[in-house]
Amino acid sequence: MNRKFKKGRSHLRTHWRNIARRILDSPTYGILPLVLLLMASGLRAQQKGGAPSSAAQSPQFYQFSLAQAIDFASKNSVAVKNALLDYQIQIQSNRATTSQALPQITGSVGSTYFSQIPVTPVPGGLFPGTVAGKLYPFPFGTTWSNNFGATLKQVLFDGQVFVGLQARQASLDFYQKKAEITAQAIRANINKVYYQLLIAKTQIAQIDANIHSQEELLHNSTEMFKNGFAEQLDIDKASVQLANLQSERVQVDYNISYGYLGLKVLMGMPVQDSLALTDSLTYDMVRDATLSDEYKYSDRRDFQLLEINRELNEFDIKRYRKEYIPTVNLSATYQKNQYTSTLEPFAKDTWFPESFIGLSINVPIFDGFYKAANISEAKLKLRQTLNDQDSLKIRIDYDVRESQLRFATALTTLDFQKKNMDLAEKVYGQTRKKYEQGLGSNIEITNAFADERTAQANYFNALYNAITARVDYLNAIGKL
């Protein structure tokens, strides 16, 4: 069976542009445009030698199924790695929050040299030899003053700190869910590119079959011309068609190679490594796929992210309200002080201990409505999150329904195009036999060959539309 692209050498390139367009139109919180940008920038960087660590290694060879490609990306994709690092960053941020509820101990060591000892004026008349009404300066202190000690501070009650402790797990869940959304976006793109490459491999086989068929036709036309049963025009037309097919084969090879490069960058694989796809895609595999009408909003990771965001908004409101409650802090200090005329830190009987314990209660009275403004702002952000949830529900309904309709339409179109392709190939085969027997014209076989190529291209378009619609459906219901 002969199968081919439509519109010659630009067909696969159109498919890659369609993939990019669908990615850019995705509603998944801007993650997919970021992935496309990562693919483009990463590809340019690796082509320019921007990955010295991989360049130093010998090229590897991988044979990946779709599941293996996704697993590889989950471990090597830069976007996924950075999302997981955000999670680790939040862990350290939580540790900083926890530290506010733990004792704080600080040590201090100090030394002061008084080049001029402070004086205190003393009224005269209090001591012998002084005149009443006159002030006499007396130095109080020593030339050197040294000290060392330690201070303990402990928060006994602070509403904001306690709310921060309660929000730690929600903060971790937030970044964990963001990492899952990033991974899901990459899975969706890998699915589409992987299936596109599988279809392209089949299309390459069709091009080779068409080239072989056209070479036979050219040979037969040449022999018929020698025997006086064909014209030079028949040979010229067959030669033109063969040259077009051969040129198209070169362009298709380039487009497929570029697709592999994009897939490698998306997976986080060095472009120097070799990649082979082990899965297959057939008409029956696509035709037997089914879509269910049952789905839950809570299965979508972006909806789960909004749920966590709503919880964090509520913690914010609670935290700002706690600012109206007094805070209680405990402090304790122990230190030793030394006063000498010369710098002698180890002199005996010159160090004097000092210690105290303090309890402070801070009661907020009036802050110019600062806390009230923060609470109102937090409530408005909560309302925004609730509105985003309602909007996302509508978008999920749309995504699911649109992908279902597109899949059903693609399956119907696929059935028609499959029958049409089989019929076009049958017509071409019969027309060619008539031509080679001298019963058909060159125009008939040219038209039949063009119809066959168009039917083949339409079939592969329908096949790709069906499989991508199913990927979009699984992505829409959160099951990808």
Side-chain angles (χ1 to χ4, degrees):
M1 296 174 61
N2 296 330
R3 300 178 182 174
K4 238 195 125 291
F5 287 101
K6 184 180 180 181
K7 296 182 181 179
R9 64 190 61 178
S10 64
H11 182 69
L12 271 181
R13 181 176 297 171
T14 302
H15 272 309
W16 299 123
R17 290 174 180 170
N18 289 338
I19 291 177
R21 188 177 299 110
R22 288 171 182 163
I23 292 173
L24 290 172
D25 291 339
S26 171
T28 313
Y29 279 91
I31 296 294
L32 294 179
L34 179 62
V35 172
L36 257 191
L37 180 61
L38 173 66
M39 287 179 61
S41 60
L43 181 56
R44 289 193 296 268
Q46 294 194 37
Q47 286 176 332
K48 295 180 179 179
S53 59
S54 62
Q57 301 174 356
S58 59
Q60 304 292 317
F61 175 72
Y62 298 96
Q63 290 181 303
F64 280 166
S65 64
L66 176 59
Q68 290 172 324
I70 292 174
D71 180 66
F72 186 93
S74 67
K75 300 174 182 177
N76 296 277
S77 168
V78 174
V80 174
K81 286 181 179 180
N82 283 341
L84 294 177
L85 285 177
D86 284 338
Y87 180 83
Q88 296 297 324
I89 291 171
Q90 185 58 41
I91 290 179
Q92 301 308 314
S93 178
N94 283 354
R95 290 183 61 189
T97 301
T98 303
S99 69
Q100 298 180 48
L102 299 177
Q104 311 290 317
I105 301 176
T106 57
S108 62
V109 176
S111 179
T112 303
Y113 169 71
F114 292 95
S115 58
Q116 290 182 317
I117 298 176
V119 298
T120 300
V122 177
L126 298 178
F127 301 99
T130 61
V131 179
K134 185 178 179 181
L135 294 177
Y136 293 86
F138 284 89
F140 286 91
T142 59
T143 305
W144 289 92
S145 174
N146 306 314
N147 65 81
F148 71 89
T151 300
L152 167 70
K153 293 183 179 180
Q154 173 64 57
V155 174
L156 298 181
F157 181 82
D158 189 329
Q160 292 193 83
V161 173
F162 294 153
V163 172
L165 295 176
Q166 294 172 357
R168 288 177 297 176
Q169 186 57 49
S171 299
L172 286 178
D173 293 342
F174 181 84
Y175 284 98
Q176 177 64 38
K177 200 58 59 179
K178 287 187 67 175
E180 293 176 6
I181 290 175
T182 301
Q184 180 180 347
I186 292 177
R187 285 198 300 273
N189 285 318
I190 289 178
N191 270 268
K192 293 180 179 181
V193 177
Y194 193 100
Y195 285 128
Q196 173 60 32
L197 288 172
L198 291 181
I199 294 175
K201 288 169 62 178
T202 306
Q203 289 175 314
I204 280 290
Q206 292 303 320
I207 293 177
D208 292 336
N210 286 339
I211 290 175
H212 178 71
S213 175
Q214 199 63 25
E215 288 174 342
E216 289 183 345
L217 179 61
L218 177 59
H219 173 75
N220 295 338
S221 297
T222 302
E223 294 300 320
M224 292 171 63
F225 173 74
K226 292 179 180 178
N227 295 322
F229 296 104
E231 300 178 358
Q232 180 64 41
L233 179 62
D234 298 337
I235 298 176
D236 293 341
K237 286 185 177 181
S239 298
V240 170
Q241 290 175 339
L242 178 59
N244 288 338
L245 288 172
Q246 292 169 336
S247 176
E248 184 177 8
R249 179 65 163 79
V250 173
Q251 186 62 43
V252 169
D253 275 336
Y254 164 78
N255 290 333
I256 292 178
S257 298
Y258 189 80
Y260 271 99
L261 284 177
L263 181 59
K264 289 176 186 178
V265 173
L266 188 60
M267 294 166 53
M269 176 184 294
V271 297
Q272 295 88 352
D273 292 347
S274 298
L275 176 62
L277 311 184
T278 60
D279 281 358
S280 59
L281 180 66
T282 64
Y283 166 81
D284 292 333
M285 291 172 59
V286 177
R287 194 65 186 83
D288 293 340
T290 57
L291 305 185
S292 173
D293 290 330
E294 297 181 1
Y295 61 94
K296 295 185 296 185
Y297 299 130
S298 57
D299 288 335
R300 281 276 292 254
R301 292 173 178 83
D302 45 357
F303 189 85
Q304 296 167 8
L305 183 68
L306 283 177
E307 283 288 326
I308 299 172
N309 196 43
R310 177 187 57 78
E311 184 179 359
L312 291 174
N313 291 148
E314 292 172 349
F315 275 123
D316 269 344
I317 296 174
K318 187 177 180 181
R319 174 170 65 92
Y320 290 131
R321 284 174 174 170
K322 294 294 185 182
E323 290 184 343
Y324 286 105
I325 302 176
T327 59
V328 182
N329 297 279
L330 174 70
S331 64
T333 298
Y334 176 85
Q335 67 180 27
K336 280 192 172 184
N337 303 310
Q338 182 192 44
Y339 306 99
T340 60
S341 298
T342 59
L343 183 60
E344 298 181 76
F346 300 105
K348 295 182 178 180
D349 302 325
T350 58
W351 288 94
F352 305 95
E354 177 184 351
S355 63
F356 64 86
I357 298 176
L359 180 70
S360 64
I361 301 176
N362 298 317
V363 181
I365 298 176
F366 181 71
D367 61 358
F369 305 106
Y370 175 78
K371 290 185 287 293
N374 284 337
I375 293 174
S376 298
E377 180 182 353
K379 287 181 177 179
L380 292 174
K381 289 182 178 179
L382 175 60
R383 288 175 57 185
Q384 283 184 326
T385 301
L386 295 176
N387 290 338
D388 289 339
Q389 284 185 307
D390 293 336
S391 176
L392 182 58
K393 289 178 181 179
I394 296 174
R395 193 163 70 243
I396 291 174
D397 292 336
Y398 170 82
D399 291 342
V400 173
R401 186 56 182 158
E402 188 272 339
S403 59
Q404 287 175 331
L405 291 174
R406 186 152 47 89
F407 183 73
T409 301
L411 285 186
T412 302
T413 304
L414 183 62
D415 289 339
F416 283 125
Q417 296 301 337
K418 179 69 166 58
K419 295 176 182 178
N420 189 48
M421 183 181 66
D422 293 341
L423 180 59
E425 290 174 348
K426 181 180 178 181
V427 169
Y428 173 73
Q430 293 175 346
T431 304
R432 178 174 170 176
K433 288 180 181 179
K434 288 176 58 179
Y435 172 77
E436 292 174 346
Q437 293 172 0
L439 302 177
S441 66
N442 181 268
I443 294 178
E444 289 178 336
I445 194 170
T446 300
N447 291 338
F449 183 63
D451 291 341
E452 180 194 41
R453 294 173 63 190
T454 300
Q456 290 169 354
N458 290 339
Y459 167 77
F460 285 113
N461 280 333
L463 186 66
Y464 179 74
N465 289 337
I467 195 64
T468 54
R470 184 174 183 274
V471 171
D472 289 339
Y473 168 78
L474 294 175
N475 197 39
I477 64 174
K479 296 297 184 180
L480 186 62

